[in-house]
């Protein structure tokens, strides 16, 4: 079964390998290595070394060991806290690749003491260290311990909404469910992982791993065609993203499926041989990848795939030899003893080989070795079941679900607090806006009132000035009228009296002239005073003054008949100056007739319409009309 990133188990493979330290296996890793060797600044070298160490599955095992040590040395001298933790993570990956899981866990525990999940800058490293810890437990098939760590990651990653950690951890839990034979649970976790992948753009390797796990689930359900479909999708994603480790795993599973199909097509030798050749090609490419990364000797499923291939193609002796090689034991830390070897000392990692070997002995007809191997299988299963009891795993799942629900409740409470805070903030903001609006409105209204008051004051001042100007003009005009009229009459009286004193002219005539002049002078003065006493003159009053003047002229001049006809218009008002001018004009016209005796009959006529009022003076002797 495909167990993402923790199938580096302490087992042995019969194939030998050669590796070159410092050689990377992908274009991306090789480009980083080129930048590293061009750089002379130690701090920048550290940056490129750490970038290389972030590709642990795509580096040769010896190369990873070298770069991890270099990263550790450079980070001590030049690194930040994050860079030092990255170096420790690379060091742990290096031990993990060699299968030294005790050392891997020791480095991880030391690094975890220096980091907390609350630290934003290094939280991703915290989750990566925990996941590698889970993979290390998985490498020993200690599924309960691995799940305990993975559920912890899920709970904390959900709290901080870290989709990258959620996706990889959910898929790994699905892998463990596959190893435990629980395909329904596995499918549920794989779907969760894919859902998380849709929200993150840097999860191509994880997407490929999800497809591979789903193919494994479908293969267990004998849905071979669907399994092949997802495997091909996984292989395509791996080739595009240069993800060597999941590519090798996908090829290994595809080889197993092709062997099964070949066995089912025993009636068609051509099809069977074709399927076997495709299976062999897939295996060959898988081992080529393992050789590139120097990982060929530590993958259980790879060895078992090779063994099944040999058994499926009638080569039972080679299949048995692969399984025996996978059961080699020894001291992994003793270089002299372990040179060119990888030992499988844990009973739970020996179990898959023992089960396969028992089946091969039975198929070969060697029942003695078959029974001995079965006894070893039973012992291994007892040990495995004690370490991974269903009750313990179920309890872990229950604890995770309880923690998850608690996190959801806490998140809901936090969201509620945020919503309430947002609501009250908006409410306070609205209140402030209203307050500012009221203040601004009041200021605006006060300014408008002040502006209106200034406008009213200005208007009053302008009105007062206009009234004063009008009064001044009227005063000047009246003064001029008085000067023109009264002055003339006064001069005439003065001149007449001089003539009387000098006894020039007819005394009676002079006295008559003086009398007329004095009367006209009094008349003019009376009319002027009448106007000055009124702010405005009603039309009826004006017409009455003219009638009275006509009657007075008729009384004093018996030879002259002055008549009036017509009426004044109703509700007709004139300014005092205009009214005075009208009276003086009429008086002047009549006086001219009297003085020059040009007529014996004068008629003053009043006519009006909607627009104007017209007063006409008619001289009947000359048949003229003035108006």
């Amino acid at each position: 079964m495909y167990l993402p990133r923790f199938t580096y188990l302490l087992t042995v493979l019969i194939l030998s390998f050669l590796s070159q330290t410092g050689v990377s296996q992908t274009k991306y890793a090789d480009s980083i290595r080129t930048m590293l060797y061009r750089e002379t600044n130690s701090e920048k070298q550290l940056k490129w070394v750490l970038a290389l160490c972030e590709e642990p599955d795509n580096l040769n095992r010896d190369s990873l060991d070298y770069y991890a040590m270099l990263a550790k040395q450079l980070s001590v001298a030049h690194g930040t806290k994050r860079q030092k933790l990255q170096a420790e993570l690379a060091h742990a990956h290096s031990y993990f690749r060699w299968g030294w899981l005790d050392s891997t866990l020791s480095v991880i525990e030391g690094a975890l003491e220096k980091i907390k999940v609350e630290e934003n800058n290094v939280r991703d490293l915290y989750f990566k260290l925990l996941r590698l810890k889970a993979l290390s437990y998985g490498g020993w098939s200690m599924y309960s311990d691995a799940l305990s760590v993975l559920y912890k990651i899920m709970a904390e990653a959900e709290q901080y909404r870290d989709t990258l950690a959620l996706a990889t951890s959910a898929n790994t839990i699905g892998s463990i469910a596959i190893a435990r034979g629980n395909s329904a649970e596995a499918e549920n976790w794989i779907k969760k992982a894919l859902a998380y992948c849709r929200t993150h753009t840097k999860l191509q390797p994880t997407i490929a791993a999800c497809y591979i796990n789903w193919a494994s689930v479908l293969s267990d359900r004998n849905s071979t065609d669907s399994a092949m479909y997802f495997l091909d999708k996984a292989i395509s994603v791996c080739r595009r993203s240069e993800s060597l480790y999941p590519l090798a795993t996908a090829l290994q599973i595809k080889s197993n499926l092709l062997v099964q199909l070949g066995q089912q097509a025993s009636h068609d030798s051509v099809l069977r041989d074709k399927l076997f050749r495709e299976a062999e090609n897939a295996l060959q490419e898988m081992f080529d990848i393992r050789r590139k990364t120097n990982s060929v000797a530590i993958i259980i499923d790879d060895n078992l795939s090779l063994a099944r291939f040999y058994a499926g193609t009638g080569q039972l002796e080679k299949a048995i030899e692969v399984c025996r090689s996978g059961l080699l034991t020894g001291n992994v830390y003793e270089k002299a003893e372990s040179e060119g070897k990888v030992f499988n000392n844990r009973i739970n990692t020996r179990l898959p080989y023992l089960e396969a070997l028992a089946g091969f002995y039975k198929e070969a007809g060697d029942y003695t070795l078959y029974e001995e191997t079965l006894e070893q299988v039973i012992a291994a299963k007892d040990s495995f079941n004690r370490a991974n009891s269903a009750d313990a795993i179920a309890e872990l799942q229950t604890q995770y679900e309880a923690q998850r629900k608690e996190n959801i409740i806490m998140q809901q409470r936090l969201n509620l607090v945020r919503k309430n805070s947002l609501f009250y903030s908006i409410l306070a903001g609205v209140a402030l806006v209203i307050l500012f609006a009221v203040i601004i409105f009041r200021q605006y209204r006060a300014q408008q009132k002040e502006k209106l008051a200034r406008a009213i004051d200005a208007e009053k001042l302008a009105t007062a000035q206009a009234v004063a100007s009008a009064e001044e003009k009227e005063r000047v005009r009246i003064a001029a009228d008085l000067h023109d009229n009264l002055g003339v009459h006064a001069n005439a009286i003065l001149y007449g009296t001089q003539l009387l004193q000098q006894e020039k002219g007819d005394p009676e005539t002079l006295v008559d002239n003086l009398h007329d002049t004095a009367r006209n002078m009094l008349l003019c003065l009376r009319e002027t005073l009448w106007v000055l006493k009124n702010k405005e003159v009603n039309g009826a009053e004006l017409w009455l003054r003219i009638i009275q003047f006509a009657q007075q002229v008729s009384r004093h001049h018996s030879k002259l008949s002055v008549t009036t006809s017509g009426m004044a218009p109703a509700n007709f008002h004139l300014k005092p100056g205009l009214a005075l001018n009208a009276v003086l004009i009429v008086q002047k016209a009549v006086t001219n007739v009297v003085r020059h005796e040009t007529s014996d009959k004068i008629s003053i006529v009043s006519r009006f319409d909607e627009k104007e009022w017209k007063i006409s003076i008619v001289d009947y002797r000359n048949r003229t009309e003035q108006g």
Side-chain angles (χ1 to χ4, degrees):
M1 295 302 173
Y2 172 56
L3 307 179
R5 297 184 183 270
F6 65 76
T7 53
Y8 297 108
L9 308 178
L10 297 177
T11 61
V12 178
L13 191 66
I14 58 173
L15 299 177
S16 61
F17 60 89
L18 295 174
S19 65
Q20 296 179 349
T21 303
V23 178
S24 53
Q25 308 304 324
T26 66
K27 293 180 180 179
Y28 175 69
D30 194 55
S31 66
I32 297 176
R33 187 177 65 87
T34 301
M35 296 300 297
L36 169 63
Y37 289 130
R38 287 179 180 175
E39 188 57 63
T40 57
N41 181 279
S42 297
E43 293 182 6
K44 293 182 179 179
Q45 283 180 342
L46 175 60
K47 170 188 172 183
W48 293 117
V49 170
L50 292 175
L52 266 176
C53 291
E54 288 180 354
E55 300 281 314
D57 294 336
N58 289 340
L59 288 177
N60 181 284
R61 186 174 60 176
D62 294 327
S63 299
L64 178 59
D65 194 19
Y66 169 76
Y67 290 126
M69 187 61 67
L70 180 60
K72 191 170 183 179
Q73 292 171 354
L74 291 173
S75 66
V76 170
H78 308 288
T80 61
K81 178 180 180 179
R82 177 179 177 82
Q83 290 175 324
K84 290 177 181 178
L85 288 169
Q86 285 178 293
E88 291 196 55
L89 178 61
H91 200 53
H93 270 297
S94 175
Y95 282 140
F96 185 80
R97 286 286 300 278
W98 283 94
W100 299 344
L101 303 183
D102 289 332
S103 299
T104 303
L105 290 170
S106 177
V107 173
I108 291 171
E109 292 298 337
L112 288 174
E113 291 178 358
K114 306 170 187 176
I115 190 173
K116 294 182 179 179
V117 69
E118 293 84 4
E119 299 178 73
N120 293 333
N121 186 46
V122 292
R123 185 181 299 127
D124 59 321
L125 300 178
Y126 171 82
F127 286 134
K128 288 178 180 178
L129 285 165
L130 280 180
R131 185 167 178 273
L132 186 58
K133 181 178 181 179
L135 298 180
S136 299
Y137 285 133
W140 286 329
S141 297
M142 298 170 63
Y143 297 145
S144 295
D145 294 315
L147 286 172
S148 177
V149 176
L150 290 169
Y151 287 145
K152 174 181 173 65
I153 296 174
M154 292 293 295
E156 293 179 335
E158 285 176 350
Q159 182 179 353
Y160 291 99
R161 299 181 181 179
D162 190 321
T163 54
L164 180 61
L166 288 168
T168 53
S169 298
N171 186 57
T172 306
I173 295 174
S175 301
I176 294 176
I178 293 173
R180 292 171 45 235
N182 193 335
S183 60
E185 182 183 342
E187 183 177 3
N188 181 47
W189 283 104
I190 294 166
K191 287 180 178 179
K192 284 184 179 180
L194 283 172
Y196 291 128
C197 288
R198 295 190 187 99
T199 63
H200 204 291
T201 58
K202 297 182 179 180
L203 283 171
Q204 291 300 311
T206 304
I207 292 173
C210 290
Y211 289 153
I212 294 169
N213 275 345
W214 209 329
S216 297
V217 171
L218 294 170
S219 176
D220 289 343
R221 296 175 181 174
N222 295 321
S223 300
T224 307
D225 291 339
S226 299
M228 279 292 190
Y229 169 76
F230 282 104
L231 282 174
D232 288 337
K233 288 187 67 173
I235 291 170
S236 176
V237 172
C238 289
R239 294 192 193 282
R240 287 198 308 270
S241 60
E242 293 187 310
S243 302
L244 299 183
Y245 180 80
L247 176 59
T249 305
L251 291 168
Q252 174 253 312
I253 298 175
K254 184 175 182 179
S255 175
N256 289 344
L257 290 178
L258 289 170
V259 169
Q260 292 177 16
L261 292 173
Q263 291 172 342
Q264 295 170 6
S266 58
H267 58 285
D268 188 340
S269 59
V270 176
L271 177 59
R272 181 191 60 198
D273 292 343
K274 177 184 176 182
L275 292 171
F276 282 164
R277 282 195 301 273
E278 290 179 4
E280 187 175 8
N281 291 337
L283 272 182
Q284 185 60 50
E285 184 179 359
M286 178 201 72
F287 282 117
D288 287 343
I289 294 172
R290 300 301 191 202
R291 289 190 188 96
K292 286 180 181 180
T293 57
N294 205 3
S295 304
V296 69
I298 52 174
I299 306 296
I300 289 179
D301 281 358
D302 292 353
N303 296 340
L304 293 179
S305 294
L306 182 63
R308 293 190 191 100
F309 176 77
Y310 285 146
T313 55
Q315 304 176 69
L316 279 176
E317 291 182 1
K318 289 185 177 182
I320 291 171
E321 183 60 30
V322 169
C323 290
R324 286 178 175 174
S325 299
L327 292 169
L328 186 65
T329 59
N331 185 356
V332 297
Y333 298 107
E334 182 60 46
K335 291 188 177 180
E337 182 181 355
S338 62
E339 188 70 27
K341 302 174 183 178
V342 178
F343 300 123
N344 186 1
N345 296 324
R346 289 185 171 272
I347 191 64
N348 47 5
T349 60
R350 296 166 62 84
L351 180 58
Y353 288 104
L354 291 171
E355 291 178 328
L357 185 60
F360 295 151
Y361 280 142
K362 182 179 180 181
E363 189 174 348
D366 192 337
Y367 292 101
T368 300
L369 292 177
Y370 170 63
E371 291 177 0
E372 292 177 0
T373 308
L374 279 181
E375 291 178 359
Q376 296 179 51
V377 169
I378 293 171
K381 282 189 174 181
D382 287 342
S383 176
F384 180 82
N385 289 336
R386 283 194 298 272
N388 300 283
S389 67
D391 291 341
I393 292 176
E395 183 178 354
L396 286 174
Q397 291 175 334
T398 302
Q399 291 175 355
Y400 163 70
E401 291 297 331
Q403 182 64 43
R404 182 172 176 272
K405 289 178 181 179
E406 184 177 345
N407 287 342
I408 292 174
I409 293 172
M410 290 176 62
Q411 190 64 44
Q412 289 174 342
R413 288 177 179 173
L414 180 60
N415 290 338
L416 183 59
V417 170
R418 287 176 178 171
K419 288 180 180 178
N420 288 339
S421 300
L422 179 61
F423 172 75
Y424 289 121
S425 298
I426 292 174
L427 191 61
V430 171
L432 286 174
V433 169
I434 293 174
L435 178 61
F436 286 139
V438 170
I439 293 172
I440 292 172
F441 175 73
R442 287 182 175 178
Q443 290 177 345
Y444 172 77
R445 189 169 63 177
Q447 290 173 354
Q448 291 300 110
K449 285 183 177 179
E450 184 179 354
K451 187 183 294 185
L452 181 61
R454 288 199 300 268
I456 292 172
D457 291 342
E459 185 177 356
K460 287 180 178 179
L461 178 61
T463 302
Q465 291 175 345
V467 170
S469 177
E471 288 178 348
E472 178 63 19
K473 289 180 181 179
E474 189 67 14
R475 183 186 65 76
V476 171
R477 187 191 63 76
I478 292 172
D481 288 344
L482 290 174
H483 178 270
D484 292 342
N485 293 301
L486 298 181
V488 170
H489 292 310
N491 286 331
I493 293 171
L494 179 61
Y495 178 70
T497 56
Q498 288 177 350
L499 290 177
L500 285 174
Q501 288 175 350
Q502 297 173 3
E503 297 181 356
K504 293 180 179 180
D506 183 21
E508 185 177 352
T509 302
L510 290 174
V511 171
D512 290 340
N513 288 338
L514 288 172
H515 182 269
D516 291 340
T517 302
R519 186 177 63 250
N520 290 335
M521 184 177 178
L522 289 173
L523 180 62
C524 179
L525 181 60
R526 185 174 65 248
E527 298 300 340
T528 301
L529 293 175
W530 164 67
V531 169
L532 290 176
K533 290 189 297 183
N534 298 282
K535 292 184 177 180
E536 65 178 11
V537 177
N538 188 279
E541 291 180 359
L542 173 61
W543 182 238
L544 179 60
R545 303 296 293 189
I546 292 173
I547 292 173
Q548 289 175 350
F549 170 74
Q551 290 175 351
Q552 186 178 8
V553 171
S554 295
R555 282 197 303 268
H556 292 292
H557 299 280
S558 57
K559 295 180 180 180
L560 178 64
S561 174
V562 182
T563 61
T564 59
S565 63
M567 298 178 63
N571 299 324
F572 194 92
H573 300 277
L574 296 88
K575 291 183 178 180
L578 183 59
L580 178 59
N581 288 335
V583 171
L584 292 177
I585 290 170
V586 172
Q587 289 178 355
K588 186 68 174 177
V590 174
T591 302
N592 287 338
V593 173
V594 172
R595 179 177 299 170
H596 300 290
E597 296 182 355
T598 57
S599 179
D600 57 0
K601 184 177 182 180
I602 297 174
S603 177
I604 303 174
V605 182
S606 172
R607 292 191 295 268
F608 62 89
D609 55 26
E610 294 180 357
K611 294 183 179 180
E612 63 180 4
W613 179 23
K614 185 175 182 180
I615 299 175
S616 301
I617 303 170
V618 183
D619 181 353
Y620 284 93
R621 176 179 293 182
N622 296 324
R623 307 302 296 176
T624 60
E625 181 177 348
Q626 298 180 11

